[in-house]
Amino acid sequence: QPRTWYAGSGATLFRSLNDGHGWEIAGRFPDGQIELVRTHPERPGLLAIAVQLPGGESSRIHISMDCGESWETTAYTTAFEVKDMTWIMREDVPALLLATDLGLYELQVGGSPVQVLVDPQDQDRGFYAVVASKDIRGQISVAAAAQATGGVYLSSEEGRSNTFRLTGLQGEDIRELAVQYDGPRSFLWAGAAAAGGEAGKGCFRWEL
């Protein structure tokens, strides 16, 4: 959605329709604190937010189809904290991939969260971050950063179960993932955490 931006503060979601020159309230969610705001890269107006519920051990996902003008009556409550999420298209149906403390999950609008098997040896491996990319041929790749310095997993098959492979970075505390597009090329960036006052190791890059 051109010129449209969102910001979460506490339980309030703000929206700007003019590149940040002016802001308005797009929703209030008194059940917790807004932690994530994600727009769909291909469906204008499709928006999801993750609200951390009191206690910090569970989350609630709210979805809007019209830039926050209205919200779906169904909110999806998880029994785990959602650390990150990203939109993908699954057979022309929008779906959210959720990185959680108890694994990677997929949520289709109108459905329930279903676990995506990333590591068959550790089905409940937690993840800090998840990101999706789409190349010039339309192929979707999904990357997920494992908790407990478990490395970065990559799927070249739309993030389906049992399609992930470990690309490396075991032993690094990767907390953030992002995709950079440079013409026909795309790069996966992984940001490593560092303790306060330490220089840290910065970011790692992988060409997709």
Side-chain angles (χ1 to χ4, degrees), residues 102-158:
L102 295 177
L104 188 67
Y105 285 79
E106 179 180 322
L107 172 64
Q108 291 192 4
V109 178
S112 300
V114 177
Q115 186 171 15
V116 176
L117 187 58
V118 176
D119 182 359
Q121 307 303 319
D122 187 358
Q123 298 186 21
D124 294 327
R125 178 185 293 276
F127 293 90
Y128 283 125
V130 61
V131 69
S133 67
K134 189 174 185 179
D135 65 19
I136 59 176
R137 297 168 297 177
Q139 179 179 347
I140 297 175
S141 297
V142 174
Q147 297 182 11
T149 66
V152 175
Y153 290 80
L154 179 66
S155 164
S156 299
E157 300 180 38
E158 302 179 349

Side-chain angles (χ1 to χ4, degrees), residues 17-85:
L17 299 176
N18 55 8
D19 280 333
H21 292 289
W23 294 84
E24 60 188 352
I25 294 176
R28 298 183 188 274
F29 304 91
D31 47 351
Q33 176 172 298
I34 297 173
E35 293 290 331
L36 302 167
V37 183
R38 296 290 185 266
T39 57
H40 198 291
E42 298 180 17
R43 294 288 179 94
L46 185 51
L47 168 72
I49 66 168
V51 176
Q52 186 183 75
L53 301 181
E57 296 181 354
S58 58
S59 298
R60 185 165 293 150
I61 308 296
H62 297 268
I63 294 176
S64 172
M65 301 290 187
D66 52 13
C67 300
E69 288 290 328
S70 62
W71 296 88
E72 296 292 291
T73 54
T74 300
Y76 305 89
T77 302
T78 66
F80 36 73
E81 181 184 1
V82 176
K83 297 289 189 180
D84 194 13
M85 59 185 183

